[in-house]
Amino acid sequence: MTVRVTLVSAAMGSALREARFDDGGALEPAGLQQAERAAGALPAAARAYASPSPRCAATAAALGLRAEPAPALAGCAMGRWTGLTLAEVAAAEGGAVARWLSDPAAAPHGGESLFDLFARVAGWLDALPGDGPTGGGRGPVVAVVEPDVVRAAALHALGVPGPAFWRLDVPPLSVTELTGRSGRWNVRWGRPAGG
C-alpha cells in the first residue's frame, strides 16, 4: 500500500533570514501572517506532524493543523554552531565549514552529520504505514518541517547521493509531496502552501 506525505517547510523566521543555524527562534510576524493566509489550502490529512522546533509548531498551528511533535523530523543538530551565522562560523572555523559542506559524513560542529539526518528522516518515512485498511494507515500525512528535513526526505525518495543536498532550494511555506512506500517514492515539489 502507498502513503501520501505532504511536507510543508516552516514559515520565515529570523534564523532563516539571517543564514543562522537555527536556535529555536520564533516565526517572524510576516511569516506568521503568510501561514495564516495559507490555512485551509493544504490537502486533507488524517495525520499531522511537526518538527519539534518552535518555528514549525507555530507554522503548523497557523495553518490550522493539530500537529503532533515528531522528534525524528527535527532539523539537523548543529552542535556548537547553533545560533551562529554561517559567516561567523566560516570566519572562525573556515576549514570545518568547508569539510561540512563537502562531506555529508562530517560533523565538525559536534552535532549530527548530514548522513545522520538522512538516516533519521528516511527511517521515519519508511516506517509510515500505507493508506487504506490493508496498509494499517489512517490516511494521508502532513508534516511541517525545517528545510533540511525536506531536502533529506527528497534525497531519500529519489535515491540521490548526499552531496545533492546543497542543490535543493526549499523556500519557506513551500510544499513537497511524496507518494509511495519504503523503497519506491515519487516526488512533487515546489508549490507554495497557499497555491
Side-chain angles (χ1 to χ4, degrees), residues 47-51 56-61 64-70 142-144:
R47 300 171 278 174
Y49 301 96
S51 293
C56 289
T59 299
L65 300 172
R66 297 184 78 170
E68 176 183 329
V142 171
V144 178

Side-chain angles (χ1 to χ4, degrees), residues 114-190:
L114 293 180
F115 280 153
D116 291 337
L117 171 68
F118 300 161
R120 179 166 45 82
V121 172
W124 181 84
L125 268 176
D126 290 344
L128 288 173
D131 295 345
T134 59
R138 298 173 306 206
V141 173
V142 171
V144 178
V145 297
E146 298 293 346
D148 56 351
V149 173
V150 175
R151 288 185 192 112
L155 291 181
H156 174 66
L158 296 172
V160 177
F165 179 85
W166 300 114
R167 296 179 165 248
L168 299 176
D169 290 329
V170 181
L173 285 178
S174 61
V175 174
T176 301
E177 297 166 315
L178 306 177
T179 305
R181 62 190 178 281
S182 179
R184 171 89 169 77
W185 293 96
N186 295 317
V187 180
R188 179 181 176 204
W189 70 65

Side-chain angles (χ1 to χ4, degrees), residues 14-149:
S14 61
L16 185 58
R17 181 174 307 288
E18 298 166 5
R20 184 167 30 90
F21 295 104
D22 196 12
D23 56 359
L27 290 179
E28 291 184 345
L32 179 61
Q33 290 171 356
Q34 289 174 329
E36 288 170 342
R37 283 194 302 270
L42 295 174
R47 300 171 278 174
Y49 301 96
S51 293
S53 72
R55 191 166 79 107
C56 289
T59 299
L63 290 169
L65 300 172
R66 297 184 78 170
E68 176 183 329
L73 298 178
C76 191
M78 297 308 298
R80 71 178 175 277
W81 294 356
T82 300
L84 300 174
T85 67
L86 182 56
E88 290 169 336
V89 175
E93 300 182 55
V97 170
R99 188 166 60 256
W100 177 66
L101 291 171
S102 63
D103 180 2
H109 43 65
E112 285 181 296
S113 71
L114 293 180
F115 280 153
D116 291 337
L117 171 68
F118 300 161
R120 179 166 45 82
V121 172
W124 181 84
L125 268 176
D126 290 344
L128 288 173
D131 295 345
T134 59
R138 298 173 306 206
V141 173
V142 171
V144 178
V145 297
E146 298 293 346
D148 56 351
V149 173

